[in-house]
């Protein structure tokens, strides 16, 4: 039997599609490592196929990657019920914007913040895929139906359900400079124990989600209310008095990175709406923190 021609992906196409695939996979999985592996598997898998019936390489690669993400999300090893304590997405530190690095170049749209990615956990795998393909990557319902091998009307209904489930983070502030000024004020007020400013910046029902993954000491349940959250944060600073910190771009928003012995010890991200800090996400699991 005569084989069809293999899919040909030029170097230019590889550099073009790689950030796109990473963007889709990271938003679906919330894991940098898992996404990088799946992106490479997608390109390798595409090379094994015949290109005779492939008219849109971008859509086809997205279809391959989406199916791999769906398989992973549905697999037992990815289930969150075995995770110790709250689960936070793996933070993505964006220090520089290099056109050739998919871990730093993410499509500049919604759907990247820690708050958004945490809410994705409330969606089924299919709902995640439809929401991201439609809202973040601007695929038409017809294209989404082809990618997921579902009816177009079904995809519309799935999108509607997903939007309803994720509506809790609607209104999140994504203005980097405004959010940074709020965080800078929070840091100063926290250091000086200025309760008037802290009351102004923090919601009365502010909640902290500490992700240690069972690898390090962390609160295994969300900590809620202004008094409890401040007690937790002050307790942490007393336990680790010799840490350094800086504010950096994490998932497109300002976050506080804490260092111990020149290594990243934790990352504190924020959910801000109407100039109020509603939630904080402390990621301490060393498997989720950059090593350099």
């Amino acid at each position: 039997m005569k084989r069809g021609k293999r899919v040909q992906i030029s170097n230019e196409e590889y550099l073009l599609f790689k950030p796109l695939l990473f963007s889709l996979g990271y938003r679906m999985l919330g894991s940098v490592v898992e996404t990088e592996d799946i992106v490479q598997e997608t390109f390798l898998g595409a090379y094994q196929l015949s290109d005779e019936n492939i008219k849109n390489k971008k859509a086809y690669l997205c279809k391959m990657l989406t199916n791999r993400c769906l398989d992973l999300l549905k697999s037992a090893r990815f289930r969150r019920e075995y995770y110790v304590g709250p689960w936070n997405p793996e933070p993505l530190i964006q220090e520089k914007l290099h056109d050739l690095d998919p871990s730093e170049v993410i499509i500049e749209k919604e759907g990247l913040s820690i708050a958004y990615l945490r809410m994705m956990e409330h969606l089924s795998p299919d709902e995640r895929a439809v929401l991201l393909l439609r809202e973040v990557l601007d695929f038409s319902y017809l294209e989404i139906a082809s990618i997921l091998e579902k009816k177009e009307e079904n995809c519309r209904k799935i999108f509607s359900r997903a939007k309803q489930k994720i509506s809790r983070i609607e209104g999140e502030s994504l203005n980097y400079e405004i959010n940074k000024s709020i965080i800078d004020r929070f840091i100063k007020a926290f250091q000086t124990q200025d309760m008037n400013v802290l009351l102004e910046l923090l919601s009365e029902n502010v909640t902290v989600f500490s992700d240690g993954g069972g690898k390090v000491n962390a609160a295994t349940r969300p900590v809620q209310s202004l008094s409890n959250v401040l007690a937790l944060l002050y307790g942490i600073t007393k336990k680790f008095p010799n840490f350094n910190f800086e504010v950096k771009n994490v998932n497109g928003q300002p976050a506080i990175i804490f260092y111990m012995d020149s290594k990243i010890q934790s990352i504190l991200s924020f959910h801000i709406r109407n100039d109020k800090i509603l939630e904080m996400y402390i990621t301490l699991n060393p498997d989720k923190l950059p090593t350099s």
Side-chain angles (χ1 to χ4, degrees):
M1 180 184 297
K2 187 176 181 181
R3 291 187 176 184
K5 294 173 61 179
R6 296 290 179 86
V7 175
Q8 298 297 314
I9 299 176
S10 67
N11 187 56
E12 289 76 15
E13 289 175 322
Y14 176 81
L15 296 177
L16 174 66
F17 294 141
K18 192 176 181 183
L20 174 74
L21 296 179
F22 182 90
S23 175
L24 175 58
Y26 175 68
R27 284 171 165 92
M28 283 193 70
L29 303 176
S31 168
V32 174
V33 174
E34 296 278 5
T35 300
E36 289 175 339
D37 290 343
I38 284 182
V39 168
Q40 292 306 314
E41 290 173 9
T42 297
F43 280 115
L44 290 173
Y47 181 72
Q48 303 300 318
L49 301 174
S50 167
D51 70 351
E52 290 179 352
N53 299 315
I54 299 176
K55 298 179 181 179
N56 186 331
K57 292 181 183 178
K58 172 185 172 182
Y60 199 85
L61 287 168
C62 284
K63 178 177 182 177
M64 292 182 68
L65 180 125
T66 298
N67 286 333
R68 282 172 165 78
C69 288
L70 290 174
D71 289 342
L72 181 57
L73 287 170
K74 294 172 182 177
S75 69
R77 70 189 178 94
F78 207 83
R79 291 177 183 169
R80 303 292 188 217
E81 58 260 34
Y82 302 112
Y83 199 81
V84 178
W87 178 90
N88 291 339
E90 184 177 343
L92 187 65
I93 300 176
Q94 298 173 274
E95 297 185 67
K96 301 174 183 177
L97 293 178
H98 296 308
D99 292 340
L100 308 184
D101 192 339
S103 69
E104 295 175 356
V105 180
I106 299 295
I107 296 175
E108 297 298 331
K109 290 189 178 182
E110 295 180 356
L112 184 60
S113 73
I114 295 294
Y116 186 99
L117 294 176
R118 284 196 88 258
M119 284 304 298
M120 293 293 283
E121 288 294 293
H122 296 272
L123 307 185
S124 70
D126 284 343
E127 287 170 342
R128 294 190 198 192
V130 172
L131 181 70
L132 293 173
L133 289 169
R134 177 64 179 165
E135 190 167 67
V136 177
L137 300 187
D138 289 329
F139 277 95
S140 69
Y141 285 111
L142 182 61
E143 291 172 315
I144 296 171
S146 175
I147 289 173
L148 298 180
E149 298 181 354
K150 295 180 181 293
K151 293 183 178 180
E152 186 175 347
E153 182 58 29
N154 190 18
C155 290
R156 291 180 183 273
K157 292 179 180 178
I158 293 173
F159 178 79
S160 179
R161 289 201 306 268
K163 284 290 289 182
Q164 186 175 7
K165 289 182 180 180
I166 208 167
S167 61
R168 183 167 168 267
I169 57 97
E170 286 185 357
E172 178 186 11
S173 171
L174 298 176
N175 186 307
Y176 187 95
E177 293 305 323
I178 291 177
N179 290 348
K180 185 175 185 304
S181 68
I182 291 172
I183 292 171
D184 287 341
R185 289 184 65 204
F186 166 75
I187 292 171
K188 183 177 180 180
F190 184 81
Q191 291 175 324
T192 60
Q193 299 189 33
D194 188 334
M195 284 303 300
N196 289 329
V197 176
L198 290 173
L199 286 169
E200 177 188 342
L201 296 176
L202 297 172
S203 166
E204 180 62 33
N205 296 316
V206 63
T207 304
V208 170
F209 299 88
S210 301
D211 181 345
K215 304 292 181 70
V216 296
N217 290 330
T220 56
R221 293 183 180 180
V223 177
Q224 191 173 26
S225 86
L226 181 60
S227 58
N228 290 336
V229 165
L230 290 177
L232 172 69
L233 296 178
Y234 280 122
I236 292 174
T237 57
K238 289 180 181 179
K239 187 176 180 180
F240 301 101
N242 298 320
F243 66 84
N244 299 311
F245 69 89
E246 61 181 334
V247 176
K248 282 192 174 183
N249 184 335
V250 178
N251 289 73
Q253 292 300 315
I256 305 174
I257 301 181
F258 296 93
Y259 298 88
M260 287 285 290
D261 300 323
S262 300
K263 295 181 180 180
I264 295 178
Q265 184 266 345
S266 60
I267 296 178
L268 177 60
S269 303
F270 300 83
H271 177 200
I272 298 173
R273 185 170 65 214
N274 298 328
D275 297 334
K276 284 271 191 180
I277 297 171
L278 304 184
E279 294 179 345
M280 302 183 196
Y281 316 102
I282 306 177
T283 301
L284 301 113
N285 186 341
D287 294 341
K288 294 184 177 183
L289 299 173
T291 56
S292 60

